[in-house]
Amino acid sequence: MIVADSKPLQEILAMVREYKKILIVGCKGCVTVCNVGGAKEVEVLRASLMIDGKKEGSPPDIDTMVIERQCDNEYVETLRDNIDAYDAVLSMACGVGPQFLSEAYPEQKFFPAVNTSFYGGAVAHGIWEERCAGCGTCIIHYFDGLCPVARCAKSLLHGPCGGSADGICEVSKETVCIWDTIVKKKIAQGRIEDLFVLQEPRDWRTARDGGPRRSIRETLAE
Amino acid sequence: MSDLKSGSNLEKVLKAGHFAFTGECGPPRGANVEHFTEKLSHLKGNVDAVNITDNQTAVARMSSLAASHIAIHEGLEPNFQMVCRDRNRLAMISDILGAHALGIRNMLCLSGDHQTFGNCPEAKNVHDIDSMQLIRMVTQMRDEGVFLDGDDIDLPPKLFVGAASNPFADPFEYRVYRLKNKINAGADFIQTQCIYNMEKFREFMKMVVDMGLHEKCYILAGVTPMKNAGMANYMKKFVPGMEIPDALIKRLKGVEKAAQPEEGIRFALEQVEEFKEMEGVAGVHMMAIEWEHKVPEIAERAGMLPRPSV
């Protein structure tokens, strides 16, 4: 899933303090699962903005709603009847949400309430980690399903760099050296020869480097 | 290793069977050429080639390409370092061609220290290709005379291509295979990370020799003399991929502070003596970091002078 983190409140206040009637829109997708933009978080943000407004002497008028998915025009459409009643809209979805909203409602002003971080999952309660870089050409079959493109700080394709120590990446003590994990797994399975393959330079066109991407499923697009 | 690949002095020294002795010099943190040439002057005539580092420790400096050219001007043979952190393949290809045009004949292919360690920690890291693919690309440009897309190169760059090996990073049992992969990718020579744990290095070299890798590639053992116990402690604690035995720190601490630099040099000289005899080791890469003025003395005492003329 897409993992996001809350933006600092001061940053959000700097975006919307001048507006008196605000709509906060949550999303029931990924940001609900990673506890950053679902029903609960929408109410917490509303309360925080109200407290600030009261301190400032002019509390804003804030409504909230949570839609099924902000990355789906079918659900984005549910905002249409009331959208013009607000001075500004804060989206608590990932970076996709505010854009779908902004494209659907060209007259309205939209602001993001979260920082969209990565594709990953929860490794423990309250801790999420990156697993995929969305590069568009998956090659993890070479590496026992583990991805060095996303998980090696240097995206190395041929084993651990000289900074790998005790299974930990030189960049952060919190980060596993994924190459250490891959190598140990290959050795344990007696398949170290798999890592003697020289990988061709990657075609990054399928990643963001080729420009914004589009995916067409012809059977559905018809 | 029949015909000369680049005709560099380093290549000729190694091919003639001499025990090679290379040095290292970091470009200045500014455009101060004089400061750099002063440092280089201590290496002149005392090493077969000098590594010109490429934004080492991820700190922005004068480019390794420009500094390599200055080294040639000063009468030294550079070993032009290139990291994968700062250049995509376009920039690499153009710098490789430019390097050859400027008279550079040795090149060292590296991943590069991560940019978060340096003075531009906010920078975007590139890593378009990795060091293994860089070795393959530059040797393919040289040997097949083609770009990555197969188009012919109008006068292919002739470079003697090196790579690094760190026997002290983890997992230890994989390090020799990573070296083997670099050789298979096309590396002509290897310079190792600074060696302090001699026991582990002996074990590593035994694996190298057992696999016959020393016959396919020249391996230069990396040595950085310790200036004092403080430097040893710092490296142990803060430099990723370094292994400093407690016995060495104890040895340095065992002498008065003023005598510690001499003790550090003595340890380095003992290492060089052992490397001369160690099977599979073709030379020493002496990285006297910001201690270039000590290189003439170290080279002399290590019995490395005069350097062979080939």
Side-chain angles (χ1 to χ4, degrees):
Chain A
M1 67 172 185
I2 293 175
V3 178
D5 295 294
S6 305
K7 273 190 177 290
L9 183 62
Q10 289 305 320
E11 206 178 307
I12 297 173
L13 286 168
M15 295 178 207
V16 299
R17 213 176 229 158
E18 63 182 284
Y19 302 113
K20 291 299 148 217
K21 193 157 173 56
I22 298 168
L23 174 66
I24 301 176
V25 189
C27 176
K28 290 183 187 169
C30 305
V31 289
T32 289
V33 183
C34 67
N35 304 79
V36 75
K40 188 178 149 203
E41 294 78 25
V42 161
E43 293 311 318
V44 170
L45 179 59
R46 178 179 183 276
S48 302
L49 295 180
M50 292 300 287
I51 289 167
D52 173 78
K54 278 176 190 161
K55 257 197 254 168
E56 296 290 312
S58 60
D61 184 358
I62 303 176
D63 289 336
T64 61
M65 68 184 294
V66 182
I67 65 174
E68 209 61 29
R69 282 192 302 276
Q70 290 190 28
C71 57
D72 192 328
N73 281 327
E74 182 186 340
Y75 301 110
V76 168
E77 203 52 36
T78 60
L79 271 69
R80 190 160 301 276
D81 290 346
N82 300 316
I83 195 85
D84 292 339
Y86 301 96
D87 299 330
V89 178
L90 262 172
S91 165
M92 295 195 82
C94 72
V96 179
Q99 301 191 55
F100 266 63
L101 297 178
S102 190
E103 287 167 41
Y105 306 110
E107 307 295 321
Q108 186 53 277
K109 294 178 281 296
F110 294 93
F111 299 93
V114 304
N115 289 321
T116 307
S117 303
F118 52 78
Y119 308 137
V123 292
H125 191 62
I127 302 173
W128 290 266
E129 283 184 0
E130 184 166 18
R131 288 292 182 269
C132 176
C135 69
T137 307
C138 194
I139 54 166
I140 61 178
H141 50 290
Y142 290 112
F143 314 118
D144 275 313
L146 300 167
C147 183
V149 177
R151 302 180 66 185
C152 167
K154 301 174 185 174
S155 294
L156 300 183
L157 296 179
H158 300 88
C161 78
S164 174
D166 299 322
I168 300 298
C169 172
E170 66 176 17
V171 172
S172 161
K173 285 190 167 37
E174 310 293 317
T175 304
V176 162
C177 169
I178 195 60
W179 268 111
D180 187 88
T181 309
I182 294 169
V183 163
K184 284 184 176 154
K185 196 170 173 186
K186 289 285 188 190
I187 289 174
Q189 293 185 2
R191 298 191 294 133
I192 195 70
E193 292 78 13
D194 289 358
L195 298 180
F196 299 167
V197 177
L198 182 67
Q199 302 284 339
E200 289 294 317
R202 301 209 64 206
D203 181 350
W204 293 109
R205 284 175 296 187
T206 59
R208 176 63 187 74
D209 308 82
R213 291 165 282 178
R214 191 167 212 222
S215 175
I216 303 170
R217 211 126 329 137
E218 283 171 9
T219 47
L220 297 173
E222 283 165 10
Chain B
M1 299 180 191
S2 54
D3 296 315
L4 288 175
K5 291 172 174 171
S6 78
S8 75
N9 182 58
L10 178 61
E11 181 182 15
K12 287 191 272 191
V13 165
L14 286 164
K15 195 160 184 291
H18 297 293
F19 192 77
F21 193 64
T22 54
E24 185 155 311
C25 195
R29 288 195 64 189
N32 191 338
V33 175
E34 276 175 31
H35 174 69
F36 182 56
T37 54
E38 194 278 328
K39 286 202 296 180
L40 281 175
S41 68
H42 304 292
L43 298 166
K44 190 173 177 179
N46 297 318
V47 294
D48 301 316
V50 54
N51 284 38
I52 306 297
T53 49
D54 182 13
N55 291 335
Q56 75 271 23
T57 65
V59 171
R61 294 163 185 273
M62 182 189 288
S63 82
S64 57
L65 181 59
S68 292
H69 185 56
I70 292 169
I72 294 175
H73 192 259
E74 294 299 306
L76 287 102
E77 177 169 287
N79 180 17
F80 165 51
Q81 293 194 184
M82 183 183 280
V83 300
C84 299
R85 177 196 59 225
D86 308 331
R87 297 169 177 87
N88 67 8
R89 63 192 82 175
L90 273 93
M92 285 173 162
I93 292 167
S94 67
D95 278 355
I96 289 164
L97 296 173
H100 179 85
L102 291 172
I104 292 161
R105 293 293 178 268
N106 306 300
M107 173 178 162
L108 192 74
C109 306
L110 305 163
S111 305
D113 296 317
H114 197 267
Q115 74 277 5
T116 50
F117 293 112
N119 66 347
C120 302
E122 310 88 348
K124 184 163 183 166
N125 68 354
V126 182
H127 298 292
D128 173 17
I129 60 176
D130 68 10
S131 58
M132 209 73 71
Q133 293 165 330
L134 174 57
I135 296 165
R136 167 55 61 91
M137 183 174 78
V138 65
T139 52
Q140 187 179 306
M141 287 170 73
R142 178 192 68 198
D143 300 335
E144 297 167 34
V146 292
F147 290 104
L148 283 172
D149 64 359
D151 271 5
D152 287 342
I153 298 172
D154 178 13
L155 209 147
K158 298 291 181 191
L159 293 161
F160 192 49
V161 177
S165 171
N166 184 0
F168 308 103
D170 290 324
F172 176 66
E173 60 271 37
Y174 186 69
R175 289 291 147 184
V176 73
Y177 294 119
R178 185 157 162 83
L179 171 61
K180 177 184 155 155
N181 285 345
K182 288 189 176 180
I183 295 169
N184 287 343
D188 303 310
F189 69 100
I190 296 290
Q191 290 172 318
T192 78
Q193 175 64 285
C194 315
I195 300 157
Y196 295 103
N197 185 341
M198 292 297 279
E199 200 180 321
K200 199 167 190 176
F201 187 68
R202 285 179 207 116
E203 198 184 331
F204 176 77
M205 282 309 297
K206 188 178 179 309
M207 290 190 278
V208 168
V209 171
D210 286 347
M211 289 168 69
L213 301 179
H214 63 305
E215 288 164 353
K216 298 176 181 165
C217 182
Y218 301 105
I219 296 166
L220 277 60
V223 175
T224 290
M226 289 289 188
K227 293 178 185 172
N228 49 53
M231 174 178 169
N233 267 322
Y234 178 86
M235 285 170 91
K236 186 182 179 84
K237 278 187 196 153
F238 299 112
V239 182
M242 282 282 178
E243 197 171 313
I244 322 283
D246 290 332
L248 174 60
I249 296 174
K250 203 174 155 193
R251 176 172 164 178
L252 292 166
K253 278 185 179 163
V255 300
E256 279 181 37
K257 197 151 190 192
Q260 285 179 3
E262 171 58 21
E263 200 59 30
I265 288 175
R266 274 190 199 152
F267 178 74
L269 293 172
E270 290 163 22
Q271 289 183 292
V272 175
E273 283 313 304
E274 184 170 346
F275 294 141
K276 284 182 194 168
E277 304 302 322
M278 195 180 284
E279 190 178 7
V281 176
V284 162
H285 178 48
M286 183 62 65
M287 294 166 273
I289 303 165
E290 294 305 317
W291 226 19
E292 290 83 1
H293 66 278
K294 286 281 185 188
V295 170
E297 178 197 332
I298 293 168
E300 179 67 43
R301 291 171 67 187
M304 288 291 132
L305 298 181
R307 295 310 307 148
S309 178
V310 285

